[in-house]
Amino acid sequence: MAYEKVDSKTDFPALEREILQFWNETRAFETLREKNRGNKKWSFLDGPITANNPMGVHHAWGRTYKDVFHRYHAAKEHDMRYQNGFDCQGLWIEVEVEKEHGFKNKKDIESYGVGKFVDECKARAQHYADIQSEQSKRLGYWMDWNNSYYTMSEQNNYGIWAFLKKCHDEGHVYKGADVMPWCPRCGTGISQMEMNEGYRETEHLSVFVRFPIIDRENEALLVWTTTPWTLTSNVAAAVKADMKYLKVRCGDWTYYIGKGNFEAPRKQPVEGDAAKNAPSLMSIQAIFKNAGGFEVLGELTGTELIDLRYAGPFDHLEGAAEAKEHHKVIAWDMVTESEGSGIVHIAPGCGSEDFRLGKEFSLPAVAPLDEQGNFLDPFEHLAGKNFGTLANDIVADLKDRDFLVHKERYVHRYPHCWRCKEELVYRLVDEWYINMEWRERIMAATRSAQWIPDWGMERELDWLKNMGDWMISKKRYWGLALPIWECNACGHFDVVGSQAELKERAVAGWDEFDGNSPHRPWIDAVKIKCAKCGSDGVSRIKDVGTPWLDASIVPFSTMGYFDNRESWQEWFPPEFVVEALPGQFRNWFYALLAVSTMMVDKSPFKTLLGHGLVLDDKMEEMHKSKGNAIEFNEAADKFGVDAMRWMYCNHSPERNLAFGQTHVDEVKAKTVRPLWNTYVFFVNYARLDGFDPTKEPLSLERRSDLDRWILSDLQELIEVADTSYARFEPHHFCKRAERFIDDLSNWFVRRSRRRFWKSEWSDDKRAAYETLHEVLTTLCQLIAPIAPFMTESMYQNLVVGKFASAAASIHHQPFPTPDPAKTDRALSQRMDRFLRIVSMARKTRTASKLKVRQPLAEMRIQPASDVEREAVEQFTDHMLDELNVKKVTVETDLSSLCAVTIEANKKLIGPKFGKEVGAVIKAIQSADAVVIADLVAKGAAIPLQLNDNAIELEPADVMVTKSYGDDWAAEENAGTIVLLDKRITHELKLEGIARDIVRFVQNLRKDADLNLEDRIGLSLQSDDAELNEAIETCGDHIARETLATSIETNPIDGTSARVEVKINGKPLTIELART
RNA sequence: GGGCUCAUAGCUCAGUUGGCAGAGCGCGUCGCUGAUAACGACGAGGUCCCAGGUUCAAGUCCUGGUGGGCCCA
């Protein structure tokens, strides 16, 4: 029943662990679900977290949002699914398992055994899913942790089959040959969606080579490339038809070169440090000069070069035999003067633009590399060697055979595998695609949803408008088995849409597969019959699917679309999804929209919230490899989760967030601690006083102004909280809540302290307790979604066991609703004005060096408005106490006390009037100071009579000084005037001394570890007459304030504490003893 | 080259419908003392990126530019 004592020095991480245990023991989450079951639904769809590593603090931002909105909607008594998701399949997991075994390439996996390998991938996903579940619980994330979905589940995989079948039925699935970025280590193509994450500054050996022109003696095309190995597969050379070219002789050879290319200085195409470390590049002109000089023989256009035939540098190799027949100059608009030689080496098998151009000109595509990046047999001496290790050999070879003109180190941004960091090559491969003929439908779905921030929709539409066909295949092992069975005999392929369909069509291997998950290698045992040519034994293609399919079927696979359509209809479309913005427009957001459009032509969410990245305190991206990533558990144990959650929620979602000690400390100092300290204050006094919150509370009329004011502001805060959560804008609420907490702790509690200290019960004391109790409990309720731990702890102490109707957990309580009867805007306004006047008075004291401990006789105020006057009248008592003055007088016109003096601003009028300046100064001096001051105050021009001339001064030309005489300290601002009486009488001085004494005694009490309620015997020993007089005159006051039962002037027995201090420079010895 | 976005105090950021430029941290000065390993007040610190425009009034709206980020080509 009684309140538990609380220490203000609370170990928040420890408290949070206690609360976790409490929730666990009381099955708090289950109770909440039970309570809201069957109510109106609020549907959330979780974007699955990659179950490949422990969580970092950057994962916690989005997961905090997810929990906050769940808790809010639970308080709104909605029924929810609480389903978390794990993304389990894909290359990132394979790479980690490979690392564990030290595998170097796909061969290692094959010889280890695909089945074993896949099982280990499954196990790894499960392992990290478990770890992430535990970490999420530590975050306070209330989910149905026993019911998380896994993208590796059968349900999910077969769901994608259904999707792909639908795509195929509509004719969108096709197999395409294309040159694409390829990772030789992973042995797989890298899709458009994955490309951008892997660009890095890379140094290559780049070369200028000559392509000798056939039938023209010693004439050659000058060609440049950064990838010498692709010269093995050169087919053509491209020029721009309307560009100018030069014919230049250098040594034995005459070259054709782009005019602009020849003359222009060349620069490494990188910036920053990479540029600094890179060698500078020579212009072609300079290269020729170094080679013994050159002579420009003529100028021509690109058109004149077209169709010239030339000899390629590797024509002697068998692999180049076909290409050899096609070597000629072709026209291409993309050739530029800004890079290279103006004549572009075209290898359609080694570059995606080359490939497109090759198609246009019906050129063969020579593909020289195998899956691992090794040269194929027809490339003779190169065969079996890796392209990456060959650059120097190839260049040496070119030199030996007299093709090399110049070599250089070239630094540029070049794609790397986003997972394993290997350099990519461009390779001609067959991959499977979904065409984007239906993009308009996806765009319509995109437009039907709400996007936060709203420009997100534009970004998504832009991506949808521009994106190429969707490559869905991966030549890997661990992932969705693409349900495509392709007939070797006739080339026909079929997409199988479900497990049942496969079973029905299986002609072999079903028994072998049955009982396994639909993954490689087991699924590959199943053969079907070709629907076109009837041949038996059609196999599944070897490829697996992109993991973005896995993550995007989930609004169907996890909500019952395939097995309980009725239930699915109740939950679809979800109200809300949230993920980090960067990257997701072309990943999850896109894939989710595409899948849902294909399935039901609807957006898979009503509202999408995107948030930024969590960066380190230097605003740099966190990476494990960089060493600046912060592991979630580490941060949770160091800072406490409530503070972290508050920091996340307080931030504008679309902006990146700098995570660091100072930032979290700021949240603690500004929010967590003031709130907690206010609570501690309440609880510890309520304990002593035996405050009973269950008695019928006093009516509003019987409460003080302070009470009604804070209660009124509280109603406003409830409204803000409700709308902020409902609109997914918790940061708006956080900002308001911080201000409220500041008002509460630094004004309400400070001004109310004495009400709590009173020894006997009175209405006022009861009102103070009741008000603070109501404010704290309601505030907790509002903040609970964001800071679920500390608010639970407070709730348990403030409410549980006191009120019979109290729910067992704060998170079972309904969200508060504002009480209009408690709202009093006029009162809030007056309090605002009052606080402003108090602040002015403090400033006056500071400026006049009148410390607040020194009582002053009088304060006079001229209010600027009626509201201000009412404020002063209403809150006079607070003013007397807060500012330590004896009397407050409201004046309508203080000008009678005010002496105005004006003075010429000589600096300004000097240049204006030159020799006349003396006369102007005189004129100013003789003018009516009050009239002029008034004009200055209004910012109006000042007319003056200067001998016979009328002149005008600017307001700034005159300096006005107002003085209220030596007796008054004054402060004036926006029409409000505050005066403080500076005359300190003997009595006032003695009172000031007494307050000093009280302060020293209180400090001593605290140093002696006395309890708040302990009584003392006090001894005050001094030789100073004034001090002694103060002790004598104000002894009662001192005794009352310090709970002294007696005041001696001699040393006392049983002294438990003693200190020597100086007051106004005079020594005083203080002793006290507990009685 | 195109799209989106950002630019406000030394730092991190607020700034609703256009209405006297703000907070926290840091810095300086002072104060307060039973919330005390706290707290408060005051001060210094600003070309609200630049240039135009609309308006009685622009950090805010419009146009153009500069610089950063993301995306596309």
Side-chain angles (χ1 to χ4, degrees):
Chain A
M1 183 70 195
Y3 294 99
E4 251 176 69
K5 190 169 182 180
V6 186
D7 194 339
S8 70
K9 294 171 210 161
T10 298
D11 176 354
F12 285 102
L15 177 118
E16 287 165 4
R17 282 189 290 267
E18 277 169 39
I19 296 291
L20 282 173
Q21 199 181 345
F22 165 76
W23 286 340
N24 216 13
E25 283 164 1
T26 57
R27 298 175 47 80
F29 170 68
E30 290 76 8
T31 308
L32 174 66
R33 285 201 81 179
E34 204 45 56
K35 181 175 136 338
N36 289 335
R37 205 181 300 280
N39 290 355
K40 188 162 171 267
K41 292 177 167 46
W42 190 78
S43 181
F44 168 76
L45 177 70
D46 189 29
I49 180 171
T50 306
N52 189 36
N53 276 305
M55 270 165 61
V57 291
H58 51 291
H59 291 107
W61 191 1
R63 291 169 101 68
T64 295
Y65 279 137
K66 291 171 186 179
D67 188 55
V68 165
F69 298 121
H70 272 93
R71 286 183 190 271
Y72 166 72
H73 283 282
K76 291 299 223 181
E77 308 189 303
H78 290 134
D79 190 2
M80 286 175 277
R81 293 169 61 246
Y82 291 105
Q83 191 178 37
N84 171 264
F86 292 110
D87 203 8
C88 311
Q89 299 179 152
L91 186 52
W92 43 76
I93 297 197
E94 288 193 55
V95 167
E96 294 301 323
V97 174
E98 282 181 86
K99 269 193 213 161
E100 284 167 21
H101 287 284
F103 292 166
K104 292 211 166 49
N105 50 42
K106 285 162 75 172
K107 267 188 202 149
D108 291 343
I109 298 171
E110 302 264 354
S111 49
Y112 180 72
V114 173
K116 263 160 75 187
F117 181 75
V118 164
D119 279 338
E120 285 179 32
C121 289
K122 273 187 200 172
R124 182 182 173 91
Q126 185 63 55
H127 175 68
Y128 282 103
D130 292 346
I131 289 177
Q132 289 173 343
S133 296
E134 288 310 308
Q135 292 179 307
S136 300
K137 288 177 196 169
R138 175 66 185 87
L139 177 66
Y141 189 12
W142 271 13
M143 280 271 143
D144 186 359
W145 291 109
N146 297 323
N147 191 30
S148 292
Y149 72 78
Y150 295 76
T151 60
M152 61 185 166
S153 70
E154 291 196 11
Q155 194 183 38
N156 212 61
N157 279 293
Y158 288 126
I160 302 167
W161 285 26
F163 160 75
L164 290 173
K165 169 121 183 146
K166 215 155 178 236
C167 288
H168 183 51
D169 288 348
E170 294 189 16
H172 301 307
V173 176
Y174 72 93
K175 180 166 90 170
D178 200 357
V179 170
M180 59 164 37
W182 178 274
C183 175
R185 198 216 66 85
C186 297
T188 182
I190 301 295
S191 75
Q192 189 189 358
M193 280 147 85
E194 297 163 320
M195 270 291 284
N196 271 61
E197 304 175 36
Y199 277 92
R200 296 172 144 198
E201 271 91 26
T202 313
E203 182 177 308
H204 281 132
L205 190 58
S206 84
V207 290
F208 285 94
V209 293
R210 64 180 73 91
F211 287 181
I213 299 171
I214 290 173
D215 297 336
R216 292 203 190 172
E217 199 168 335
N218 281 11
E219 284 195 14
L221 306 167
L222 186 72
V223 171
W224 176 75
T225 180
T226 61
T227 48
W229 65 270
T230 62
L231 289 169
T232 57
S233 309
N234 173 271
V235 177
V239 297
K240 189 168 184 173
D242 56 0
M243 218 168 91
K244 289 219 161 65
Y245 286 80
L246 293 179
K247 191 171 174 184
V248 182
R249 190 169 67 214
C250 175
D252 296 338
W253 287 87
T254 297
Y255 297 94
Y256 293 92
I257 310 164
K259 187 182 179 197
N261 307 77
F262 182 69
E263 291 163 355
R266 293 170 64 237
K267 208 176 124 239
Q268 302 276 13
V270 285
E271 283 167 4
D273 288 348
K276 261 183 255 163
N277 300 330
S280 56
L281 297 178
M282 280 195 281
S283 68
I284 301 174
Q285 203 170 188
I287 292 169
F288 278 18
K289 217 170 183 175
N290 279 6
F294 63 86
E295 188 186 348
V296 176
L297 301 177
E299 191 174 312
L300 62 163
T301 63
T303 318
E304 294 172 66
L305 294 169
I306 290 169
D307 286 338
L308 282 178
R309 305 192 57 83
Y310 65 86
F314 288 94
D315 286 354
H316 59 296
L317 299 181
E318 188 196 333
E322 196 189 358
K324 194 174 168 182
E325 306 302 315
H326 290 83
H327 288 336
K328 65 169 185 178
V329 179
I330 59 175
W332 191 25
D333 265 353
M334 300 297 284
V335 176
T336 73
E337 294 191 309
S338 60
E339 202 179 33
S341 64
I343 303 177
V344 179
H345 144 61
I346 302 294
C350 302
S352 63
E353 282 167 344
D354 305 47
F355 184 73
R356 270 192 287 275
L357 194 65
K359 265 190 171 169
E360 204 179 301
F361 285 86
S362 305
L363 302 174
V366 180
L369 303 181
D370 69 7
E371 282 201 352
Q372 281 107 50
N374 297 328
F375 274 93
L376 298 166
D377 289 345
F379 290 85
E380 302 181 10
H381 66 286
L382 300 173
K385 292 182 180 159
N386 194 273
F387 83 97
T389 63
L390 274 179
N392 284 316
D393 293 352
I394 286 179
V395 171
D397 182 36
L398 286 168
K399 193 175 178 200
D400 290 347
R401 294 188 293 105
D402 203 25
F403 280 91
L404 185 71
V405 177
H406 179 70
K407 63 172 183 177
E408 63 195 4
R409 287 158 62 203
Y410 187 77
V411 182
H412 56 157
R413 288 178 62 74
Y414 190 83
H416 288 67
C417 177
W418 62 288
R419 272 292 146 190
C420 77
K421 312 300 178 199
E422 284 283 309
E423 195 173 314
L424 302 179
V425 286
Y426 283 81
R427 237 186 124 239
L428 181 62
V429 281
D430 285 337
E431 296 287 359
W432 292 85
Y433 296 86
I434 297 173
N435 75 32
M436 277 297 127
E437 284 164 7
W438 49 296
R439 72 181 77 223
E440 280 301 332
R441 281 165 62 197
I442 310 177
M443 289 167 82
T446 303
R447 287 190 198 95
S448 73
Q450 185 197 3
W451 293 71
I452 306 172
D454 54 5
W455 51 261
M457 183 195 287
E458 289 306 314
R459 274 291 277 280
E460 192 60 54
L461 290 171
D462 188 55
W463 164 259
L464 286 167
K465 198 171 74 195
N466 294 309
M467 75 161 296
D469 290 350
W470 187 8
M471 184 186 109
I472 54 169
S473 56
K474 287 252 161 204
K475 305 216 171 324
R476 294 295 306 186
Y477 307 96
W478 170 233
L480 165 80
L482 283 175
I484 300 170
W485 270 257
E486 189 182 25
C487 176
N488 282 333
C490 73
H492 175 78
F493 72 88
D494 254 340
V495 174
V496 174
S498 68
Q499 188 181 22
E501 183 186 336
L502 181 64
K503 186 175 182 181
E504 195 186 306
R505 296 188 58 180
V507 294
W510 179 262
D511 292 342
E512 199 181 322
F513 162 66
D514 201 18
N516 286 300
S517 68
H519 290 108
R520 295 186 71 185
W522 309 289
I523 188 76
D524 292 334
V526 184
K527 314 289 175 196
I528 66 173
K529 189 173 176 175
C530 178
K532 198 174 170 195
C533 74
S535 60
D536 268 346
V538 174
S539 301
R540 194 188 72 85
I541 59 168
K542 290 280 174 271
D543 307 34
V544 296
T546 164
W548 295 111
L549 285 172
D550 305 351
S552 305
I553 193 68
V554 294
F556 302 91
S557 58
T558 70
M559 291 185 163
Y561 181 83
F562 300 106
D563 39 29
N564 186 347
R565 193 66 64 92
E566 241 173 71
S567 160
W568 176 81
Q569 267 160 353
E570 289 179 15
W571 294 105
F572 186 94
E575 297 289 333
F576 179 63
V577 298
V578 52
E579 286 306 318
L581 285 173
Q584 297 301 348
F585 290 107
R586 53 192 185 137
N587 290 333
W588 194 57
F589 299 164
Y590 154 70
L592 197 58
L593 283 158
V595 170
S596 184
T597 300
M598 175 54 62
M599 298 300 284
V600 293
D601 264 313
K602 262 189 188 170
S603 167
F605 47 82
K606 289 186 189 163
T607 300
L608 178 145
L609 173 63
H611 63 86
L613 294 172
V614 176
L615 307 176
D616 72 7
D617 50 3
K618 296 183 189 68
M619 295 302 272
E620 286 176 26
E621 270 192 55
M622 288 187 178
H623 288 294
K624 267 209 312 196
S625 54
K626 248 165 83 180
N628 64 345
I630 303 174
E631 217 251 326
F632 173 77
N633 284 17
E634 195 185 306
D637 287 344
K638 188 167 171 188
F639 304 120
V641 170
D642 279 337
M644 283 166 63
R645 291 172 59 120
W646 189 277
M647 181 180 69
Y648 292 131
C649 290
N650 185 33
H651 201 77
S652 291
E654 68 191 274
R655 300 183 73 117
N656 292 341
L657 184 154
F659 192 104
Q661 171 98 45
T662 47
H663 199 165
V664 190
D665 283 349
E666 202 178 308
V667 169
K668 280 182 154 173
K670 211 159 121 188
T671 313
V672 174
R673 243 188 333 246
L675 176 60
W676 190 255
N677 284 343
T678 303
Y679 158 71
V680 170
F681 173 87
F682 172 85
V683 167
N684 290 347
Y685 278 97
R687 266 184 105 235
L688 287 181
D689 280 329
F691 167 66
D692 178 3
T694 59
K695 284 194 182 161
E696 180 65 23
L698 292 168
S699 63
L700 273 183
E701 296 76 48
R702 292 169 72 186
R703 311 260 184 128
S704 77
D705 297 330
L706 269 178
D707 298 334
R708 288 199 305 275
W709 161 70
I710 197 74
L711 287 172
S712 171
D713 278 11
L714 180 67
Q715 308 313 308
E716 210 179 321
L717 189 68
I718 295 172
E719 265 185 59
V720 171
D722 203 8
T723 50
S724 298
Y725 286 129
R727 292 178 190 162
F728 309 106
E729 297 168 342
H731 53 299
H732 287 161
F733 166 65
C734 286
K735 300 243 180 301
R736 288 293 289 269
E738 282 177 5
R739 207 156 61 208
F740 183 85
I741 291 170
D742 188 61
D743 282 345
L744 179 67
S745 72
N746 283 324
W747 194 244
F748 178 80
V749 170
R750 195 167 89 225
R751 291 304 334 136
S752 297
R753 272 194 205 136
R754 280 177 188 275
R755 304 167 68 195
F756 293 95
W757 292 346
K758 282 177 197 157
S759 49
E760 70 289 342
W761 277 102
S762 63
D763 273 5
D764 186 54
K765 181 168 174 170
R766 167 156 298 285
Y769 271 112
E770 283 173 352
T771 303
L772 188 52
H773 187 268
E774 177 176 346
V775 170
L776 281 172
T777 50
T778 309
L779 186 58
C780 276
Q781 216 65 64
L782 300 180
I783 288 174
I786 296 173
F789 294 99
M790 65 185 291
T791 52
E792 178 76 282
S793 173
M794 290 160 73
Y795 173 84
Q796 292 301 325
N797 201 8
L798 291 172
V799 178
V800 174
K802 278 89 187 167
F803 298 88
S805 62
S809 161
I810 188 169
H811 304 290
H812 301 161
Q813 293 274 108
F815 203 78
T817 46
D819 178 354
K822 287 178 181 157
T823 305
D824 186 345
R825 278 188 196 284
L827 178 63
S828 289
Q829 259 181 23
R830 288 197 293 275
M831 190 60 86
D832 274 355
R833 302 312 294 175
F834 175 63
L835 287 171
R836 195 177 140 266
I837 292 171
V838 169
S839 155
M840 280 176 69
R842 285 196 188 115
K843 195 174 165 185
T844 317
R845 270 189 174 268
T846 307
S848 309
K849 303 229 177 279
L850 296 164
K851 57 185 181 184
V852 179
R853 264 201 309 278
Q854 177 59 58
L856 298 178
E858 187 182 0
M859 176 176 175
R860 295 185 175 177
I861 297 163
Q862 179 183 312
S865 62
D866 288 344
V867 178
E868 224 167 74
R869 170 187 314 283
E870 290 159 19
V872 174
E873 285 164 358
Q874 185 169 8
F875 305 123
T876 302
D877 288 348
H878 289 294
M879 199 163 267
L880 296 176
D881 194 49
E882 180 71 17
L883 297 167
N884 199 14
V885 295
K886 297 287 176 193
K887 184 175 149 197
V888 170
T889 326
V890 179
E891 306 276 351
T892 41
D893 186 6
L894 282 169
S895 58
S896 59
L897 282 172
C898 179
V900 180
T901 51
I902 56 172
E903 198 186 342
N905 189 337
K906 288 170 192 151
K907 221 187 213 167
L908 288 179
I909 62 170
K912 279 189 200 169
F913 296 98
K915 280 184 228 161
E916 302 283 332
V917 83
V920 175
I921 291 171
K922 266 189 193 153
I924 292 173
Q925 280 167 350
S926 57
D928 185 331
V930 175
V931 173
I932 305 263
D934 195 44
L935 290 171
V936 172
K938 286 177 185 150
I942 300 155
L944 275 184
Q945 195 64 28
L946 192 62
N947 300 329
D948 294 335
N949 304 325
I951 59 160
E952 264 192 9
L953 295 181
E954 307 274 325
D957 294 338
V958 181
M959 296 186 296
V960 178
T961 315
K962 285 187 174 181
S963 161
Y964 293 85
D966 291 342
D967 294 341
W968 296 91
E971 182 69 25
E972 202 172 333
N973 184 298
T976 311
I977 301 172
V978 171
L979 297 186
L980 285 173
D981 192 340
K982 288 156 78 174
R983 289 164 295 191
I984 297 165
T985 62
H986 186 59
E987 284 73 23
L988 289 173
K989 190 162 187 200
L990 294 182
E991 273 189 51
I993 291 170
R995 279 188 65 146
D996 272 335
I997 294 174
V998 168
R999 180 179 142 237
F1000 282 122
V1001 175
Q1002 300 289 35
N1003 281 345
L1004 189 59
R1005 280 184 63 113
K1006 190 175 57 190
D1007 291 343
D1009 279 334
L1010 296 194
N1011 289 321
L1012 292 182
E1013 64 275 20
D1014 287 341
R1015 308 274 146 173
I1016 56 167
L1018 184 61
S1019 159
L1020 301 167
Q1021 305 151 34
S1022 174
D1023 294 336
D1024 184 68
E1026 206 173 38
L1027 287 190
N1028 282 326
E1029 190 184 353
I1031 293 165
E1032 197 173 321
T1033 331
C1034 308
D1036 288 351
H1037 171 76
I1038 296 171
R1040 206 166 45 240
E1041 291 292 316
T1042 62
L1043 299 185
T1045 48
S1046 63
I1047 299 181
E1048 313 277 336
T1049 51
N1050 299 313
I1052 49 172
D1053 295 335
T1055 295
S1056 51
R1058 176 193 158 89
V1059 69
E1060 286 179 24
V1061 299
K1062 279 191 175 172
I1063 293 177
N1064 296 337
K1066 308 286 163 42
L1068 172 74
T1069 302
I1070 305 174
E1071 293 178 350
L1072 58 79
R1074 198 187 318 224
T1075 55

